[in-house]
């Protein structure tokens, strides 16, 4: 089961469960394993395609799994992550795996950053003028997000990324700025509806791992945190 926050309250279901298929197939009739994974051709499983009304099947590297999206109420900062998972996974079974979107995990554990805490400088505003975001996304076109990247990775690295992008863009090479600036530039989220007042910085892997272990203890199920809509 995975919890994530849609761009709009009614846009997507807020939860999805992944379940090995072995218990639903006759013995020897399937290649499924008692483990859970999700992927597509880019290595990212697109949960937004999951039908929330029933279980559906997905095959990954020859292994079969069932998945089901689960609608929740609109979640906000006053919700507790553990309580929310317990509430909406009351019918979970021992081999189910709960996959929580990074945005939900950040929001419900108080790890978001108010945009008012970020002081945007002139260089951040200037750099955003040259950002060409993916269709349907603002990316680092938002000055406060660019400023957070500058504060996080340092001005020299951001300036180098901008220079590298300027030199390679005429040759049709895309994404150089994000590759040079690193994961923070690719992963920072928020500062757009419905969370115009919040930034969602990426989890430190060790922090995310510790949170998953804590949730696994409380739920007695496997738990993972995923950046579900990451384009890589």
């Amino acid at each position: 089961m995975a919890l994530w926050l849609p761009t709009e309250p009614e846009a997507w279901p807020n939860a999805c469960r992944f379940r090995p298929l072995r218990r639903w197939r006759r013995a020897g009739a399937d290649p499924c394993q008692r483990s859970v994974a999700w992927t597509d051709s880019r290595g990212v499983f697109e949960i937004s395609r999951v039908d929330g009304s029933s279980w559906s099947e997905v095959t990954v590297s020859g292994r079969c799994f069932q998945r089901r999206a689960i609608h929740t109420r609109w979640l906000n900062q006053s919700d507790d992550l553990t309580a929310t998972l317990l509430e909406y996974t009351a019918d979970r079974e021992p081999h189910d795996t709960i996959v929580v979107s990074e945005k939900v995990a950040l929001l419900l554990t108080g790890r978001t950053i108010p945009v008012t805490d970020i002081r945007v400088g002139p260089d951040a505003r200037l750099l955003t003028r040259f950002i060409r975001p993916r269709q349907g996304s603002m990316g680092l076109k938002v000055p406060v997000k660019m400023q957070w990247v500058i504060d996080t990775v340092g001005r020299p690295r951001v300036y180098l990324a901008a220079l590298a992008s300027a030199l390679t863009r005429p040759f049709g090479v895309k994404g150089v700025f994000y590759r040079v600036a690193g994961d923070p530039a690719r992963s920072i989220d928020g500062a757009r509806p419905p969370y115009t007042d919040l930034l969602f910085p990426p989890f430190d892997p060790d922090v995310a791992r510790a949170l998953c272990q804590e949730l696994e203890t409380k739920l007695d199920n496997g738990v993972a945190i995923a950046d579900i809509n990451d384009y890589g």
Side-chain angles (χ1 to χ4, degrees), residues 23-178:
R23 287 172 291 158
W24 284 268
R25 300 282 186 89
R26 289 175 298 178
D30 67 274
C32 304
Q33 305 293 322
R34 289 185 181 273
S35 60
V36 174
W38 54 99
T39 186
D40 65 6
S41 59
R42 301 167 305 179
V44 180
F45 174 59
E46 297 184 357
I47 291 179
S48 60
R49 296 179 180 176
V50 178
D51 179 4
S53 62
S54 62
W55 291 95
S56 61
E57 297 184 9
V58 59
T59 301
V60 180
S61 301
R63 298 179 178 180
C64 303
F65 306 91
Q66 284 192 333
R67 58 189 183 182
R68 181 164 67 93
I70 299 176
H71 288 271
T72 71
R73 65 182 182 281
W74 186 245
L75 302 173
N76 56 54
Q77 290 169 285
S78 65
D79 290 301
D80 176 76
L81 180 57
T82 301
T84 299
L85 292 176
L86 289 171
E87 176 183 356
Y88 288 101
T89 66
D91 62 342
R92 63 189 181 280
E93 297 186 12
H95 295 288
D96 291 347
T97 294
I98 300 170
V99 183
V100 185
S101 85
E102 185 175 47
K103 183 176 287 185
V104 167
L106 289 167
L107 184 69
L108 272 59
T109 58
R111 290 180 169 89
T112 56
I113 301 173
V115 297
T116 53
D117 288 357
I118 308 294
R119 184 177 180 180
V120 180
D123 52 351
R125 297 185 189 279
L126 176 63
L127 288 170
T128 58
R129 295 171 55 187
F130 302 99
I131 295 295
R132 301 292 184 268
R134 184 183 295 271
Q135 184 177 2
S137 172
M138 290 297 290
L140 294 184
K141 193 74 173 175
V142 182
V144 70
K145 295 169 74 172
M146 179 66 78
Q147 185 63 54
W148 181 86
V149 174
I150 292 174
D151 294 343
T152 301
V153 306
R155 279 185 170 79
R157 185 171 181 179
V158 172
Y159 290 173
L160 177 62
L163 177 61
S165 177
L167 293 174
T168 55
R169 182 175 291 175
F171 299 99
V173 181
K174 300 180 180 180
V176 172
F177 179 90
Y178 293 94

Side-chain angles (χ1 to χ4, degrees), residues 115 138-139 142 144-145 189-200:
V115 297
M138 290 297 290
V142 182
V144 70
K145 295 169 74 172
D189 204 348
R192 59 173 298 178
Y195 300 106
T196 56
D197 60 335
L198 295 174
L199 288 181
F200 292 78

